Amino acid sequence: MMAGLNCQTPSITAWPIIRDSAKFYGTLSEDVDAEGMARLGHPLDGDPKVVSGESGAAGFAYVYEILSNPDLGKERAELGLDQNSRIVVLSTEGNTDPDNYHRIVDENNPF
C-alpha cells in the first residue's frame, strides 16, 4: 500500500541533511497507516478533514500511533512527547488511489 515509501534509495541531496540531523526514525505497518488515513479523513470535532493518501499519511499515522497506543510509552518518553508537544507533519500526497482511499477511509472507518 505504501509502495511510494519503499524506494530503498535515499535522495543524494536530502540524505546528508537527514543523516546529520535526525534524532529518531521508525517504521510502521500498513494497518497503522490505514488508521492514520482514516483519522485524517474523520477528524475529531473541530479539526479540519485532511484527504491524505497512503504515503502522505505515513508521518501522521506514525505519530498518531505513538501518541495513542498505551504500549508505546517508552517511545513517547524517548521522543519527549507529551500534552505540551507541538508536532508538524507534512502530507505529501492526496487521494492518489481513489478506490483504496474509499475502502480505508469510508468503508472500514474505525472512528
Side-chain angles (χ1 to χ4, degrees):
M1 184 170 85
M2 296 180 294
L5 295 178
N6 192 19
C7 62
Q8 310 253 340
T9 304
S11 161
I12 59 173
T13 303
W15 175 243
I17 297 166
I18 294 168
R19 178 196 62 219
D20 296 342
S21 62
K23 294 181 178 39
F24 189 87
Y25 66 91
T27 60
L28 70 153
S29 69
E30 290 189 349
D31 289 344
V32 169
D33 190 51
E35 185 175 353
M37 287 174 64
R39 174 49 74 194
L40 288 170
H42 299 279
L44 298 173
D45 288 340
D47 288 342
K49 177 180 179 176
V50 176
V51 176
S52 189
E54 297 85 347
S55 295
F60 170 80
Y62 185 83
V63 172
Y64 182 75
E65 178 70 7
I66 287 176
L67 293 175
S68 64
N69 186 330
D71 296 331
L72 298 179
K74 179 182 172 192
E75 287 80 359
R76 277 191 301 281
E78 283 180 33
L79 290 169
L81 296 175
D82 62 23
Q83 66 275 11
N84 297 311
S85 298
R86 293 184 185 256
I87 302 167
V88 176
V89 179
L90 303 176
S91 174
T92 56
E93 81 176 348
N95 182 2
T96 56
D97 182 345
D99 292 337
N100 194 47
Y101 182 87
H102 176 67
R103 182 181 60 75
I104 291 170
V105 174
D106 299 324
E107 291 178 5
N108 296 321
N109 173 28
F111 302 108

